Amino acid sequence: MMNQLTRSAFILLVTLLPSLGYAAGISVSVDRNQVTTEDQIQLVVEVEGGRSEPELPEFPSFEVYNRGRSSQTNIINGKMSSSVSYNFILVPSQTGKFQIGAASVDIDGKLYQSRPFILTVLDPSQKPKEQAAAFIETTVSTETPYVGGQIVYTWRLYRRVRLTGADVTFPEFEGVVIEELGEQRDYNATIGGQQYEVSEVKRALFPAKAGKLTIPSSQINIEMVVENSRQQRGRGRGSVFDGFFSRGQTKRKTLRSKPIELVVQELPPAPANFSGLVGEFQANAKMSKTQLRVGESATLTIVISGSGNWKSIAEPEFGNLSAFKTYSDKSTNHPSKNKNNFAGRKVFKQALVPLQPGPQTIEPYVFTYFSLQHGEYRNARTRRFNLSVAPATEAENLQLTENRAPGMGKVAVKVLADDILPLKKSLAQVTPQTKPLTYAMKMSLGLGFPAFAFFGFAWLQRRREEEASDTGLKRKRMAMTQARSDMKAIAESENPLAAGSRVLRHFLGNQLNLEGGALTSSDVHDTLVDKGVDADLAKRVRKFLSVCEMAQFAAPSTEEQSSQKVADTVEQLLKDLQQAIGGQR
């Protein structure tokens, strides 16, 4: 019986042997041949009958990303076939019709090639925006600005689908000075009957030279949730549980804006006293008092405000003040909260101490700026102040040395009074205490306290002077204290990631004397590395800030956005950064 079964199996095997073979070859397929620059193409290279790596053709104007491979073996009607599928994503970078050549592979010494094919890439504008699930738009307030004039650059992301990820690349603004215009603004808009969520970011740009200027396109890579094919086929007639059990699929998309061409105009020939300011500006001044005595102090305050490159406002030249001793205070900046215009004011203060009695005049301060509204140079001026200076009274003359006003000649210093005299001429006149130890202690404290007080006051005064001359030093000393105070906002905020981002950026801004809110996650990473911070710590900071940035456009996971998780992450980063950068704890 066994011999009969063996003989039957052998006969069957011999019968099948001629049909056991491998079909060899290579083929290329794409999910679509026509796309826009915002879309991506899925490309599959299938190699049959071999395991050799295929050689891809050239893909002009496409970025190619490898998405792995898969293999399978089939036996159909006695014939065996095996194949390996190589998966790729193609991201187009420009429009046009592109002839794609053949892919090739070598199998057992024989070369196999696929068929060439054509890909057509269209501009996104050729597809109606109201049909798009998401798109970006960039605009400028003017395409013909003046040198130093303000351009408001607006970037908007429109979406009517849920995003699970977003990675924004803003253009490199070369040849311009960039200023922030408030924080990101989110709102809803209706376009072509479709409701969109909009995220808007604005920047103020100031071109540095005349000529043609191109603002490059911006780019954002998004992952959006789309309905799966079952939901689309069954809409309106499928099971009520389809929507519950089918969560949809995510689709990657690359959105790009169009470059913007500007023609920057040269300013007309400027007058000699041109301040360099371009925009609309005003000047105001006030005196703390106009009637005073010789030796008394009055404060002159000048405020220059306007829209445009107001940060370039220079310190005023106060003219002839030879009749006064002057003390200048450090100017202060006060930016406006206007999101549609870069505006603000600078405040300058000057303490004036008259040296001689009589009427005195503070002449107006005048500066020239170029008005964009009128297209011409205009002057801004303060008012004139007339002061009445009375002689100093004896009661107010607290000088202990004799001096003279400038220009009246030099005199030797002469002591006019000695108002610090000992109350007792000798220690013998001090009655000794009953307890020698207590008396000695009191005497030590009594004699040592003035010295301690003097050195303590000197240290405090020196520290105040250092902080007054270097605001960055004060910011650094208070960085951690301020950060721990700001940490309370994370637990109270509806958006813990946004609050955590603000705490960390504010801390870094104080530590490094920078405007932390204006730095991107990549800027923070590069700045920390330049400061000698460990690369791993810099990467951790960038990763956290990237998650916060991504949360502006896509909903983060529940774990990521929990206030406790964010607070713990920020607390650890603050401790590590404090140790790495240094500063007062």
Side-chain angles (χ1 to χ4, degrees), residues 172-192:
E172 294 289 337
F173 297 104
E174 295 184 0
V176 299
V177 176
I178 309 170
E179 297 289 354
E180 299 289 329
L181 280 179
E183 297 182 353
Q184 174 184 309
R185 177 171 167 250
D186 297 297
Y187 58 91
N188 294 324
T190 302
I191 301 177

Side-chain angles (χ1 to χ4, degrees), residues 546-560:
S546 297
V547 171
C548 296
E549 291 171 358
M550 188 178 297
Q552 297 177 1
F553 307 104
S557 66
T558 304
E559 182 183 1
E560 282 181 337

Side-chain angles (χ1 to χ4, degrees), residues 23 28 48 53 95 105 111 122 182 221 229 250 291 295 310 359 361 363 429 438-439 458 497 511 528 553:
V28 175
E48 297 185 12
E53 293 278 346
T95 60
V105 65
L111 183 67
L122 304 176
N221 298 317
S229 57
T250 59
Q291 294 185 349
W310 65 271
T361 301
E363 295 296 335
Q429 297 179 2
T438 304
Y439 166 74
L497 281 172
Q511 279 282 12
L528 290 176
F553 307 104

Side-chain angles (χ1 to χ4, degrees), residues 175-449:
V176 299
V177 176
I178 309 170
E179 297 289 354
E180 299 289 329
L181 280 179
E183 297 182 353
Q184 174 184 309
R185 177 171 167 250
D186 297 297
Y187 58 91
N188 294 324
T190 302
I191 301 177
Q194 297 283 355
Q195 185 80 4
Y196 285 87
E197 293 181 55
V198 185
S199 294
E200 180 182 274
V201 176
K202 290 191 174 186
R203 299 286 187 270
L205 311 180
F206 298 91
K209 61 180 180 179
K212 290 185 178 181
L213 176 66
T214 300
I215 298 179
S217 63
S218 67
Q219 176 178 307
I220 180 170
N221 298 317
I222 62 174
E223 291 186 4
M224 59 184 185
V225 178
V226 296
E227 291 181 332
N228 57 37
S229 57
R230 180 180 179 184
Q231 287 175 306
Q232 293 173 346
R233 291 194 306 268
R235 182 180 293 169
R237 63 179 184 274
S239 168
V240 295
F241 297 104
D242 284 351
F244 181 79
F245 291 106
S246 302
R247 297 184 178 180
Q249 300 174 342
T250 59
K251 180 180 180 182
R252 290 186 61 85
K253 205 171 184 68
T254 300
L255 309 179
R256 292 184 178 89
S257 64
K258 290 183 178 181
I260 301 176
E261 300 292 336
L262 304 178
V263 178
V264 183
Q265 304 178 70
E266 193 76 67
L267 290 173
N273 61 342
F274 176 48
S275 62
L277 300 177
V278 180
E280 307 301 325
F281 294 91
Q282 308 84 36
N284 294 286
K286 65 177 181 179
M287 286 289 301
S288 60
K289 53 186 175 181
T290 57
Q291 294 185 349
L292 63 164
R293 295 181 179 276
V294 172
E296 288 183 349
S297 174
T299 301
L300 170 62
T301 303
I302 292 184
V303 180
I304 303 176
S305 59
S307 63
N309 54 343
W310 65 271
K311 282 191 174 180
S312 300
I313 296 172
E315 185 171 353
E317 296 180 3
F318 288 90
N320 184 13
L321 296 176
S322 60
F324 298 88
K325 198 169 187 62
T326 61
Y327 303 89
S328 297
D329 198 359
K330 189 173 183 180
S331 64
T332 57
N333 293 344
H334 303 271
S336 169
K337 296 186 180 298
N338 189 343
K339 294 182 179 180
N340 298 313
N341 209 2
F342 187 66
R345 70 183 193 277
K346 273 192 174 183
V347 179
F348 304 88
K349 292 187 176 183
Q350 187 96 342
L352 306 178
V353 180
L355 300 174
Q356 57 193 34
Q360 301 291 345
T361 301
I362 307 295
E363 295 296 335
Y365 169 65
V366 183
F367 69 92
T368 302
Y369 66 95
F370 183 77
S371 170
L372 293 175
Q373 181 179 346
H374 299 92
E376 63 182 12
Y377 292 98
R378 293 202 160 192
N379 290 333
R381 67 175 60 238
T382 63
R383 54 175 293 197
R384 175 184 284 104
F385 294 98
N386 296 315
L387 307 184
S388 176
V389 181
T393 62
E394 288 297 322
E396 294 171 338
N397 187 6
L398 301 180
Q399 296 181 135
L400 297 183
T401 60
E402 182 181 63
N403 61 15
R404 297 194 180 181
M408 299 181 63
K410 296 182 178 180
V411 296
V413 175
K414 179 175 66 177
V415 177
L416 302 178
D418 183 3
D419 61 350
I420 304 178
L421 297 175
L423 297 178
K424 300 295 183 179
K425 296 297 184 180
S426 67
L427 291 178
Q429 297 179 2
V430 179
T431 305
Q433 298 295 319
T434 306
K435 297 180 179 179
L437 181 61
T438 304
Y439 166 74
M441 291 175 61
K442 288 185 177 181
M443 283 297 297
S444 298
L445 289 173
L447 293 175
F449 178 76

